[in-house]
Amino acid sequence: MTNPTLAAGAVERHLRARRDTGRGLLMPYITGGITPGWTDYLRAFAAAGADAIEVGLPFSDPTLDGVTIQQASQAALARGASTRGILADLSGLPDLGVPLVASTYYNLVLHDGPAAFCAALRRAGVDGLIVPDLPVHEADELTDVAAAAGIEPALLASPATPQPRLAEISDRSRGFVYAVSLMGTTGERAALAASAAQLTERIRRVTDRPILLGFGISTPEQAREARRHADGVVVGAAVMRRVLDGAGPDDLRVFLTTLRQALDQE
Amino acid sequence: MRNVLPWREPVQLDGTMGEPLARGRFGEYGGRYAPESLVEACREVDEAFREAWADPGFRGALARLLAVHAGRPTPLTPALRLSQALGVRLYLKREDLTHTGSHKINNVLGQALLATRMGRRRLIAETGAGQHGVATATAAALLGLEATVFMGERDIERQALNVFRMRMLGAEVVPVTSGSRTLKDATSEAMRHWVGATGDSHYCIGSVVGPDPYPWMVREFQRVIGEEARAQCAAELRAGVPDHVVACVGGGSNAAGTFAGFADTQARLVGVEAEGGAGAARGRLGVLHGCRSLFLQDGDGQITEAHSVAAGLDYPGVGPEHAHLRDLGRARYVTVTDEEALAAAVRLARTEGIVPALESAHALAWVIRAAGDGDLPAGSTVLMTLSGRGDKDVSTFKELL
Ligand SMILES: Cc1ncc(COP(=O)(O)O)c(C=O)c1O
């Protein structure tokens, strides 16, 4: 394998550097525009030891999200949140010391065109992008312009993905590989799915890029278990349920600190 | 608002609306924009469909089901009194006379047979007007499969009769409470559900939408409408082919099936959309529910809610092949209002003794208007697909007439 770190962008360099110190990676998710002072959550996440932060740009029809993130998206849109507004909020922020990764559905990327979209992300200080309804075989239109704009599009891998396709996904993914732990939508689950371990093991065979495991990870115990297989975790619905229930940035800092500790123990 | 795009000379499509291009494309539309967890399931459907469609055994079994269970072929009925009043010669392709009362049964029998061949035990479906749900419940009962149908809460209210029919047939009807609580949200919910059920379930999409191979596969299963109509027109009309071929467009399956029989002729193809759900006439490029096509959107790229008195046309987009036919100028897409559709339904009831589905009444409303304003020249022949019967809509008729 050629040295992948040479070509890596900011997200991947950052995640690799932290992983290489033995640290379990934590990427919490927040729906952009969910509350008036929503960027305070980002500061709290960074303070709690996040290694990257995923910022959801809400879409009217989130087809891969369970009820919690659907509700969060609807609530944000009902408040008047828009891609433009969220990116404007982000550009006003001081450097948090961790990369920001936007996530949204492909319709919003296509709206002004992938090149303009990536340029806007870049201007707002975003480094990475996750598009759950853009699988690797449709991604060409985005990947080239993203590279030119300095945006790293991370691709998703699923338990149903056959091995050769997994190799292609891992190869074409930038920043990290997003391993979807189970066959299902986002949302809290009682236990980490058995498919999570198998999938991460299959991805490891084909890449040395950081692997973040997401979907269903909601408790410190699950984070600890996930860490045994992957380089880190993405935590979305467990964060957003608390936000929807009225928890403020300090409450989320406390919650994420418990996940941070669980990852550090493993 | 009226849509008055000028006619372009029809481009002849070689073949009759054939296979999509590489990666499921119709021009720049189509594709498989599915979450990675569904990509393998789509590939399996694609492989199974290609194999089945090339297998005379499968074709024969489907043709037999369509004949002995669904009641095909459906007749071509000249609308005599209405034709006289309008000054055109209008023929109705009577999908309302199929078992379960709409063209949806053609596609569902095909997909249910395919699901059985793939070893699936359960069908998942979304439904707006309830006709696709009823068809799915019917085919599931016939073939010994289970059926789970997602339906928006608002549609559950206005299509109560169909909800009851589905339940009587043994299907589970799951109310969808998100978003506009109509077809768009039922489709999202069915896709979300499919992600967790790919092992034992087949997602039976009800129109020419969704990820590749659905738009193509559903059109092929609906092609029977156009092929029968083509043969019937050949026997019935002096020119052999009608001047105009008209069908209503929700996602566009009855229109695609009808057009497929006439794509290689000089007939002018007209798709009629609801004023409030005009994906082809007023949508812009986007990706939703697995395909790249035309969708109604706001200035931020959010999908906007469609509004139509006909639940089956309450979808903010249109199938990718229609977007392509529009770009080519091979088909023209026009809109009619709720009021025009209601008036057209009454007119058909009074002149021909046929109560059409509100969806189909949209196609008729355009014919009536176009005959009046010269868009349909006097004496021209018109084939119109009557996609379904109006029984399901009686409570809407009672309320609004
Ligand atoms: C009677 C009838 N016609 C038309 C439609 C619209 O669907 P499509 O455009 O796929 O034919 C429906 C959908 O529910 C329907 O029930």
Side-chain angles (χ1 to χ4, degrees):
Chain A
M1 210 183 285
T2 53
N3 185 350
T5 39
L6 286 180
V11 178
E12 184 159 338
R13 282 200 308 272
H14 181 87
L15 294 181
R16 276 181 184 274
R18 293 215 170 175
R19 176 185 71 178
D20 293 347
T21 67
R23 179 180 165 100
L25 305 172
L26 175 62
M27 182 164 83
Y29 164 94
I30 181 89
T31 300
I34 184 71
T35 59
W38 71 276
T39 51
D40 291 346
Y41 286 105
L42 300 182
R43 299 173 210 269
F45 291 179
D51 300 290
I53 299 173
E54 180 181 349
V55 177
L57 304 173
F59 178 51
S60 51
D61 297 82
T63 41
L64 193 61
D65 284 300
V67 280
T68 306
I69 293 181
Q70 278 178 55
Q71 273 171 16
S73 301
Q74 281 190 7
L77 292 172
R79 282 195 58 244
S82 67
T83 303
R84 215 172 305 261
I86 291 166
L87 295 184
D89 291 346
L90 290 178
S91 20
L93 283 182
D95 184 14
L96 296 169
V98 294
L100 298 180
V101 178
S103 70
T104 196
Y105 289 83
Y106 199 50
N107 197 60
L108 293 188
V109 179
L110 263 190
H111 187 67
D112 290 326
F117 183 82
C118 288
L121 291 183
R122 192 64 232 168
R123 282 195 301 275
V126 173
D127 298 304
L129 175 62
I130 299 166
V131 188
D133 60 346
L134 190 71
V136 65
H137 62 265
E138 302 285 7
D140 288 357
E141 184 181 34
L142 174 67
T143 46
D144 293 352
V145 297
I151 296 291
E152 296 161 76
L155 300 179
L156 280 68
S158 144
T161 308
Q163 194 65 23
R165 189 172 160 91
L166 217 44
E168 192 190 349
I169 290 171
S170 305
D171 185 49
R172 307 276 313 273
S173 191
R174 292 292 173 266
F176 55 93
V177 178
Y178 193 132
V180 175
S181 72
L182 46 74
M183 290 299 286
T185 55
T186 60
E188 294 174 88
R189 299 289 197 302
L192 188 69
S195 49
Q198 290 153 14
L199 175 61
T200 35
E201 200 270 311
R202 288 202 296 128
I203 301 173
R204 281 250 189 271
R205 265 191 252 150
V206 292
T207 191
D208 130 76
R209 232 181 270 289
I211 302 171
L212 298 185
L213 196 55
F215 283 47
I217 292 158
S218 4
T219 66
E221 294 67 41
Q222 289 167 8
R224 190 178 300 132
E225 196 189 336
R227 169 71 184 113
R228 273 176 219 142
H229 312 294
D231 297 314
V233 296
V234 187
V235 182
V239 169
M240 293 315 297
R241 178 178 50 83
R242 288 171 169 81
V243 172
L244 289 172
D245 287 349
D250 282 342
D251 303 309
L252 268 304
R253 187 172 45 73
V254 171
F255 171 60
L256 290 177
T257 302
T258 65
L259 294 175
R260 174 77 267 153
Q261 286 165 350
L263 289 167
D264 289 345
Q265 278 163 20
E266 187 52 44
Chain B
M1 203 175 31
R2 292 279 300 280
N3 194 308
V4 280
L5 286 176
W7 280 114
R8 273 182 261 172
E9 269 317 301
V11 192
Q12 228 113 312
L13 295 184
D14 41 349
T16 41
M17 292 167 74
E19 257 194 57
L21 307 171
R23 293 194 295 121
R25 288 300 200 272
F26 301 95
E28 67 164 310
Y29 308 101
R32 189 178 288 165
Y33 291 86
E36 179 60 25
S37 289
L38 290 179
V39 169
E40 182 61 13
C42 291
R43 199 198 54 74
E44 284 170 14
V45 174
D46 185 73
E47 191 180 278
F49 173 66
R50 282 174 191 276
E51 207 184 272
W53 213 224
D55 172 4
F58 179 87
R59 294 264 195 150
L62 178 58
R64 184 168 163 77
L65 275 185
L66 287 169
V68 304
H69 198 76
R72 300 210 73 91
T74 59
L76 186 71
T77 304
L80 294 174
R81 299 211 306 131
L82 187 57
S83 292
Q84 194 166 39
L86 297 177
V88 298
R89 287 169 59 205
L90 174 62
Y91 293 83
L92 305 173
K93 178 61 177 162
R94 301 290 305 280
E95 296 305 293
D96 60 318
L97 292 180
T98 54
H99 177 52
T100 74
S102 85
H103 68 292
K104 299 283 181 189
I105 193 72
N106 305 327
N107 166 44
V108 171
L109 285 175
Q111 287 199 50
L113 208 55
L114 188 69
T116 312
R117 191 176 159 109
M118 293 171 75
R120 300 293 194 262
R121 292 182 21 252
R122 191 167 73 113
L123 301 178
I124 301 165
E126 79 296 326
T127 196
Q131 289 302 99
H132 176 59
V134 168
T136 303
T138 299
L142 178 68
L143 298 177
L145 302 167
E146 288 170 37
T148 304
V149 181
F150 294 88
M151 189 169 187
E153 244 181 4
R154 208 169 104 69
D155 292 335
I156 286 186
E157 281 161 32
R158 47 182 181 167
Q159 302 289 345
L161 175 65
N162 273 343
V163 175
F164 177 77
R165 291 168 77 196
M166 285 182 256
R167 293 195 167 132
M168 183 165 172
L169 288 158
E172 181 194 11
V173 181
V174 182
V176 175
T177 57
S178 54
S180 57
R181 296 177 294 128
T182 62
L183 182 55
K184 154 174 103 80
D185 309 284
T187 308
S188 298
E189 197 54 44
M191 286 192 84
R192 285 191 277 259
H193 181 79
W194 189 28
V195 179
T198 51
D200 68 344
S201 304
H202 171 76
Y203 181 19
C204 182
I205 296 185
S207 192
V208 285
V209 299
D212 173 54
Y214 283 94
W216 170 49
M217 175 171 73
V218 175
R219 182 249 284 155
E220 288 301 276
F221 286 142
Q222 293 292 5
R223 172 186 289 281
V224 64
I225 305 174
E227 284 184 349
E228 277 178 17
R230 175 80 176 265
Q232 289 164 325
C233 286
E236 200 76 22
L237 304 179
R238 202 168 347 114
V241 172
D243 300 318
H244 287 78
V245 172
V246 185
C248 67
V249 174
S253 68
N254 86 90
T258 307
F259 293 174
F262 297 91
D264 64 343
T265 73
Q266 283 296 317
R268 291 177 158 178
L269 310 179
V270 183
V272 186
E273 298 186 286
E275 178 70 29
R282 298 216 191 87
R284 62 176 278 183
L285 179 69
V287 164
L288 183 69
H289 296 146
C291 78
R292 187 181 184 105
S293 191
L294 299 169
F295 299 97
L296 301 177
Q297 305 173 46
D298 69 13
D300 291 326
Q302 306 296 342
I303 305 295
T304 55
E305 293 176 5
H307 295 287
S308 170
V309 69
L313 304 187
D314 225 345
Y315 187 73
V318 69
E321 191 165 28
H322 287 292
H324 181 52
L325 292 173
R326 184 199 75 157
D327 282 4
L328 288 177
R330 179 63 189 95
R332 177 160 79 135
Y333 296 86
V334 296
T335 65
V336 306
T337 63
D338 288 355
E339 293 72 30
E340 286 177 291
L342 282 162
V346 174
R347 188 138 179 212
L348 194 69
R350 306 256 162 104
T351 55
E352 308 299 326
I354 297 170
V355 177
L358 270 168
E359 290 79 10
S360 319
H362 282 71
L364 184 68
W366 180 80
V367 171
I368 292 172
R369 186 213 291 160
D373 64 17
D375 217 356
L376 275 178
S380 49
T381 50
V382 182
L383 168 79
M384 191 203 102
T385 297
L386 190 67
S387 57
R389 57 179 173 248
D391 305 31
K392 69 183 176 64
D393 297 316
V394 285
S395 66
T396 309
F397 287 133
K398 252 168 87 181
E399 195 182 309
L400 296 179
L401 292 177

